[in-house]
Amino acid sequence: MSATPATTLLEIHTSALAGMGSVPRHFARWVALAADEDHPDADLGEELFHSCLAEGDEALRTLWSRHLTSWDFAEAPQWAPGAAARTAERRTAVYDRLRIGSDLRKALDDAVPVAKIPGPTVITREFSPWYTPERAAARSFYWRAYERKLRAKGWPDTAVASLDEASRAVVERLSDPEQPAARQAKGLVVGYVQSGKTANFTGVTAKAVDAGYRLVIVLGGTLNLLRAQTQRRLDMELIGQENILRGADLTDVDSLVGVDYVGDDADWPDFVSHGARPSALGAFDVERLTTRDNDYKSLAQGIRALEFEKREPTRPLHDPANLHHAAARVLVVKKNKAVLTKLVKDLKQIHGLLGELPTLIIDDESDQASVNTLDPKKWEQGRTERTAINGLLSQLLTLLPRAQYVGYTATPFANVFIDPGDDADIFPRDFLISLPRPDGYMGVQDFHDLDVVGGGEGEAERRHVRGIQDTTDDRLQEALDAFVLTGALKLYRADHGVPSGPFRHHTMLVHESVRMAEHAELAQRIETMWHNAAHVSTEGHTRLESLFEKDFRTHAEGSLPFPSSYTELKRYVYDARQLINKGGTPVIVVNGASERDYSQPDLDFDRTPNVWKILVGGTKLSRGFTVEGLTITYYRRTTQQADTLMQMGRWFGFRPGYRDLVRLYIGREEQLGRGRNAKTVDLYEAFEAICRDEELFRAELARYAPLIDGHPQVTPAQIPPLVAQHLPWVKPSARNKMFNAELVEVRSPGVWEEPTAYPEEPDALRHNTECWAPILGALSQAPVSLCVDGSPRYDARVGTVSHKDLLTVLCDLRWSVPERFSPHLQFLLDAGQGPGTIDDWFVIAPMQAGRNDARILGHGPFSLALRKRRRGPVFGAIRDPKHVAAAKRLAGAPNLTGNAMVEQNVRPRRGALVLYPLVESEPRMTSDGSVDPRDLVMAFAFVAPPSTAKGDRPLVRFRAIDSTKAEAAIIDRDDKRS
């Protein structure tokens, strides 16, 4: 073993990697150069490097993790042509550039595995690249400070690199702040509910000000609390202590008058510190025009607050000679008419400068308040009328010709349906970016088993969801007991080595009604139940022990500490109850009667050491408000608005160290409406339907995001007709307009396609069933067994039909929403016209054990599946997941292997079609014993073979409804197709 100390080796490697910059280079040469002067005798061989990694040298591993991850994530670098980011091929390209041996490559792979995670999905117009890696690296003062802060918070290298990539995708699509011509870009960033969108726009802000944007306006929600939360986050993680103090002396109390955070925020020492005023370090200062406690009131220092000193007075501010020496101004303002009116009024008084000022407007929760909701039919002739906030946003964009608008939301549909023909509105005409699901995020898949069919309970539901039904009573006492029990389990884990930071707050959310009077009654009821619960009595412990054994032990995460018995947990139950009772009451009512509700000390998650409370409220506890430490949710409120329902999903988010303790108590039989129109709804099912819509929306974006010949397949203006087939409940905000782009063809070689818009009328159902008669007659009488790669085996009746015969059937089918299937039919018609694309189809009719005795038009037997329509006439998922792989393999998927029956039926130009005869209730029977075709839905799914892929043609094709206005995104309804 060499005598070279580990610290010396680390120093040499640090210097060598820093010298390489953003490009991996010949490793042996660069370490030799780094060691030459100070450590000429150091052992620089790969053997020592390998040994240090094998022995667990954490400092060396961390250093290489940072650089390897950065190279893994680099976007289309010239040094790795054709090697996609975050792949083994990219890592190999890195090693080849470093010229290191196979043993060291393996050691580095073991120490720093390739993070094979998805990047952001980008739908974009073509743009002129300006934010090059070289330019970003040359000016990166605030981004580097933010990056260091994230690492100090414990962010892994992959998470930092992912944020770097996603924020770069936004900034590079803004206009170059140095360019002579003024141009506005407008975009939308779609995240997940409570998934860290603030981190993304903080990163965007850091990179934007580094690049030259000198006014940043952040619209931070509709409540003072939400605005203050956003202000504090930016101050703490980006702006930093020196910019907040602005020269004030921490040892001089008098100089700190009016300075926020110092002395009343325990986290002040954790705020970013730049080491000195950034302007003294060769960068530029950031001046805050709002503070934690003060929203924008007026330019307190007069218009001078927005006067920028120019080094070259004869040149415009956006000239590089001036721009990079000027301080940036940041405002975090509430989406409030009075506040924004003052800002617009003050900006109007500034003459000349606004046309030179590169500005970034970030709109958090951009589908709330920002969208124009006035009915166009009621506008005065020739005049666009706007809601207050939308109108003020429009004025801001008009006043600031160099302003860039970026909206952030988890429910994007209202933004997507804004009128793209209104240049003064906020339609994301330039880009739409869907952020990947973050690692550690607890979201849709953790609460809903989207691949379980037939209404069965899946693993996610078993672990986390507790239904409230007529047969279960209201389960409120059980939910309260679960809140105490999970609090005790958090304290137990903190005592047994689990980091306690995530356990600082412990909350329960109760959301039953929108009515404030009912909130007060519910809070009183919970108070009474709480005090009668006697959690630390013999009776209470018996009840808690029963819940502990039947629920929490059953679903405990094996890698986390868990008590061997309830007796071991008992003392923590007492401590948990004390924390919840602190202040005399376990309950806080938050219903928006006034802003005072949100300034309750017990609700301040930033400044209160421990918030252990039960929160009772309504809408104000949903959008934008992060309920820290949320573990138990009790939800029974009904609504018919899908985005409203989705935003109430506060149980989504990050739950480190306690995700196995999270429980959702949700109404499964709730009354919606009153009187004659009342009906019973399943809220869990409603959430699942919305989740499916959202997942389909993201999947569609991902499918059409890849460029074809360097050009976008789809632009943001073409998104509405793409998503309309999945989101029938969303209506465009401009009702007297229609989108001029009509979806004509969706090409899907190798993709499982599953139509869902089947008719409801008995005659149409009978017609469709009769159309399928030739196909039913072509199926084998005896079932065969199919399976792929160890997936569950299933029996099916099978047969082969020509492409022409199948098209005869498909062309004659009736649909409740014809435009949903017509683009797929066009693809299949087009595929059949060229030679060598598709010959025939392998048809599969799966059989279910014990349910295979149905006859259809005299043919059979068949298995009938029970399915429900989820959204009007549209079904939810129809498929059984175990059927998908075999169909894909039969259609030529190369990465699967089937059993003998599957493999002997694979052909180069063969597709696969799976038949699902469905019923929605007990069907009627005909005289010959067949199912009455008026009660039968002949559903199907298909996978077209790879041979139907025609070169580099886009996967989607549009046509202009009015060809004389082919470039128009929208047209008046008077111009609709004939």
Side-chain angles (χ1 to χ4, degrees), residues 736-756:
N736 68 336
K737 305 284 183 179
M738 67 186 302
F739 286 88
N740 199 28
E742 180 184 41
L743 186 58
V744 174
E745 181 181 13
V746 174
R747 301 175 62 244
S748 53
V751 176
W752 175 280
E753 291 289 356
E754 187 175 301
T756 56

Side-chain angles (χ1 to χ4, degrees), residues 579-650:
L579 278 167
I580 297 166
N581 263 333
K582 189 176 179 181
T585 177
V587 183
I588 303 176
V589 176
V590 187
N591 57 20
S594 72
E595 285 281 358
R596 287 193 301 275
D597 282 356
Y598 301 93
S599 59
Q600 300 175 70
D602 281 344
L603 199 60
D604 191 332
F605 293 107
D606 291 330
R607 288 188 276 182
T608 303
N610 303 100
V611 177
W612 283 51
K613 294 296 174 191
I614 301 162
L615 309 184
V616 175
T619 305
K620 299 300 183 184
L621 276 178
S622 56
R623 182 186 294 274
F625 183 81
T626 300
V627 182
E628 299 285 356
L630 181 60
T631 310
I632 307 297
T633 302
Y634 186 88
Y635 185 86
R636 301 186 68 177
R637 179 184 165 190
T638 56
T639 177
Q640 291 180 298
Q641 299 301 316
D643 54 354
T644 302
L645 195 61
M646 193 65 181
Q647 285 288 351
M648 291 174 189
R650 298 292 96 186

